[in-house]
Amino acid sequence: MATTEEGPRAFDELMALRGGERPAPGEVRTTGSDPLFASPFRVGRTLADALAARAVAANDLWEMRTGRRQRIEVDVRAAAATALGGEDMTLVRDAAGTYRPIPVSSDVEHMASLTQPWRTADDRWFVPHFNLPHLEQRVLDVLGCEATPASVEAAVRKWKADDLEEAIAAADACGGVVRTAGEWLDHPQGAYLAGRPVVEITKIGDSAPEPLPAGAEPLAGLRVLDLTRILAGPTAALSMAEHGADVLMATAPHLPQVPPFVRDTSHGKRSAYLDFTRPDQAARLRELASEADVFIEGYRPHRLEAHGFGSADLAAVRPGMVYVSVNCFGSGGPFGDRAGWDQVAQAVTGVCDIQGRATGAGRPQLTPVFLCDFLTGFLGSYGAMLALARRAREGGTYRVSVSLCQSAMLLQRQGLIGGFDDAAGRLEPAEFERYAVADDATAYGDLKSLGPVIRMSETAPRWSGTTPRLGSSRPEWLPR
């Protein structure tokens, strides 16, 4: 593999945010190398660095409990494979007892066929996003077209790129102009994010220090309320479940979901139905929040504030809470109120442009995996654990902000590689089996999935319980 450019390690950037003494030599070991995918980006190394940083944060909490630290190991190829989600990384057992790949759902295939870079009237490129029926319809209404690739391509060709971006935003739909990395950094939103840390941790209130509850895992006895859907937010909550937290997913039964994404990000969690637009259920959700340690939300900016579940609202209900916000464009800036997805972040930040140039496609391309989603999820859990450690030492209520665009920018800071044309795109069977977790009798059948890829010498991350069906649990916490 030829190296064409190498930037500073993401791990070093994340350790700087943690502060204090760096882990001792030998505590953290990273093995393997990119590429796993046909991409010039250091997908595996960046994800491995984020996972290693997350493990260090878990180690900090473990040291608070026991006075001991653990050895940590992360393999770059296994870390890269986490960005596949369920594609090739979740198998289901057939009637003959053989585990086989689960076909990509027709809804995901439909979304991917339309959510692509399309040329605009001013010979630029634009990525409209078509996930979830109501958001797809908003895009179609702006474009005035049918939900087919040919119709979308023809409709986008009639618009100037910047005009379409503004029209899509005005309709509360999702999409973004394909920019170069330089154009993004020159844009006011890119400039705003460049001046902010990749994980923002802000103290928003005072409270007494809270020692960690008793338990045999770094996050044992801690409660996480998960109000997220699709990939990045659920991955943040899943990451905390893997270290022993009691994670309760709360969603309303009428909200649209992507079933394979629910399946693959719900391991080790419980799931309850609560609709915060109904007063009685909002009251129950507020009661749960009053007893939570971490609240994770991935709604459109300010959506929860309108219902009394913003960070300031919950800081008053539960002093000492860690409130994690996961979004596309970050904590502020001119695009700070806009919603978006992994593909939109890739488009606007330069990832899409670089991918297309490196592969010789002659046009922008999306990366082969939902890299921004999974990286953002890992960073969200890292920030939450740093805030929990700070709460234990000095008290306080904290807001943690992570975003898909910040993750895309972190990825680009790692530099590029060459020699990725023959990348396999998946783990070898023996590599997969090293991390595979069997989960029988789930709502989705008998599964075998790529399990946690972090190795820790005393408290290996794990999934407790079977993968739940949505709404299968009561809206209550487990006893501490």
Side-chain angles (χ1 to χ4, degrees):
M1 180 187 69
T3 298
T4 57
E5 175 191 344
E6 184 166 0
R9 291 291 295 261
F11 183 77
D12 295 330
E13 184 172 336
L14 295 173
M15 288 300 98
L17 295 177
R18 167 178 171 264
E21 295 184 5
R22 285 179 61 91
E27 178 176 315
V28 180
R29 181 170 178 252
T30 303
T31 61
S33 62
D34 286 301
L36 186 64
F37 306 113
S39 176
F41 294 104
R42 299 180 186 276
V43 174
R45 196 187 79 175
T46 308
L47 288 166
D49 280 1
L51 285 166
R54 186 189 104 189
V56 169
N59 221 4
D60 292 342
L61 296 172
W62 183 245
E63 184 178 28
M64 287 182 173
R65 292 178 182 272
T66 66
R68 304 190 304 273
R69 295 193 72 81
Q70 306 182 48
R71 296 186 305 279
I72 296 163
E73 182 176 326
V74 184
D75 181 76
V76 166
R77 286 173 58 84
T82 62
L84 282 164
E87 186 179 354
D88 295 324
M89 292 296 101
T90 297
L91 311 178
V92 64
R93 184 156 51 189
D94 63 19
T98 301
Y99 284 100
R100 301 187 183 281
I102 301 174
V104 177
S105 76
S106 58
D107 288 343
V108 173
E109 285 188 327
H110 170 75
M111 179 275 292
S113 72
L114 302 181
T115 305
Q116 294 291 332
W118 305 107
R119 193 183 290 274
T120 60
D122 48 354
D123 284 325
R124 298 171 71 190
W125 296 86
F126 188 86
V127 175
H129 203 283
F130 290 88
N131 204 9
L132 303 183
H134 68 295
L135 296 179
E136 173 181 299
Q137 191 57 55
R138 292 175 190 175
V139 175
L140 295 175
D141 288 345
V142 171
L143 293 175
C145 70
E146 299 176 351
T148 66
S151 185
V152 171
E153 180 179 27
V156 172
R157 196 73 166 103
K158 298 175 183 177
W159 284 80
K160 290 184 178 180
D162 291 338
D163 292 344
L164 181 54
E165 188 171 61
E166 292 304 311
I168 290 286
D172 284 339
C174 302
V177 174
V178 174
R179 295 176 172 86
T180 67
E183 288 171 340
W184 176 244
L185 292 176
D186 288 339
H187 188 279
Q189 188 64 35
Y192 170 83
L193 292 179
R196 312 290 297 180
V198 67
V199 180
E200 296 185 46
I201 305 174
T202 307
K203 186 176 181 181
I204 60 173
D206 295 319
S207 67
E210 295 189 33
L212 296 172
E217 294 175 275
L219 295 180
L222 296 176
R223 294 167 169 170
V224 177
L225 195 54
D226 175 13
L227 266 70
T228 66
R229 288 179 289 157
I230 315 300
L231 286 176
T235 297
L238 172 61
S239 298
M240 304 196 78
E242 290 179 354
H243 292 290
D246 176 17
V247 178
L248 180 64
M249 298 186 292
T251 188
H254 68 275
L255 291 177
Q257 302 276 358
V258 180
F261 295 166
V262 175
R263 178 194 68 216
D264 296 321
T265 60
S266 298
H267 306 292
K269 304 179 184 179
R270 295 178 299 117
S271 174
Y273 280 143
L274 285 173
D275 183 352
F276 59 68
T277 66
R278 296 178 55 177
D280 58 331
Q281 297 187 34
R284 180 59 189 146
L285 186 62
R286 194 166 284 105
E287 289 174 359
L288 290 169
S290 72
E291 298 176 333
D293 298 284
V294 179
F295 183 95
I296 306 178
E297 63 89 13
Y299 279 83
R300 181 183 295 271
H302 308 303
R303 166 74 168 156
L304 286 185
E305 291 177 14
H307 293 274
F309 289 95
S311 58
D313 301 310
L314 294 191
V317 170
R318 190 348 186 159
M321 171 180 282
V322 175
Y323 189 104
V324 182
S325 289
V326 181
N327 61 36
C328 183
F329 288 104
S331 60
F335 285 6
D337 291 341
R338 299 184 181 186
W341 303 78
D342 181 291
Q343 298 91 332
V344 176
Q346 288 192 36
V348 300
T349 61
V351 169
C352 201
D353 173 71
I354 294 169
Q355 176 76 23
R357 292 179 188 275
T359 58
R363 58 180 290 158
Q365 279 189 335
L366 298 166
T367 64
V369 288
F370 300 118
L371 170 72
C372 299
D373 275 321
F374 289 96
L375 181 55
T376 303
F378 298 154
L379 294 176
S381 59
Y382 172 66
M385 285 190 273
L386 292 185
L388 286 169
R390 187 172 169 187
R391 183 186 77 170
R393 291 191 304 267
E394 61 189 68
T397 307
Y398 297 90
R399 180 185 177 105
V400 176
S401 178
V402 290
S403 70
L404 302 175
C405 286
Q406 277 281 27
S407 293
M409 295 165 71
L410 176 66
L411 173 70
Q412 293 179 65
R413 289 196 288 274
Q414 309 314 300
L416 305 176
I417 60 174
F420 56 81
D421 293 343
D422 59 350
R426 59 179 55 83
L427 295 178
E428 296 295 328
E431 293 177 298
F432 172 75
E433 287 296 331
R434 182 185 177 199
Y435 299 98
V437 173
D439 192 4
D440 293 339
T442 77
Y444 310 95
D446 294 344
L447 303 179
K448 182 183 284 188
S449 305
L450 181 72
V453 302
I454 294 172
R455 293 293 187 248
M456 297 181 72
S457 57
E458 292 189 49
T459 60
R462 64 184 182 89
W463 300 334
S464 63
T466 192
T467 303
R469 184 188 299 274
L470 282 176
S472 59
S473 297
R474 294 176 59 84
E476 60 189 21
W477 295 113
L478 298 176
R480 291 194 191 270

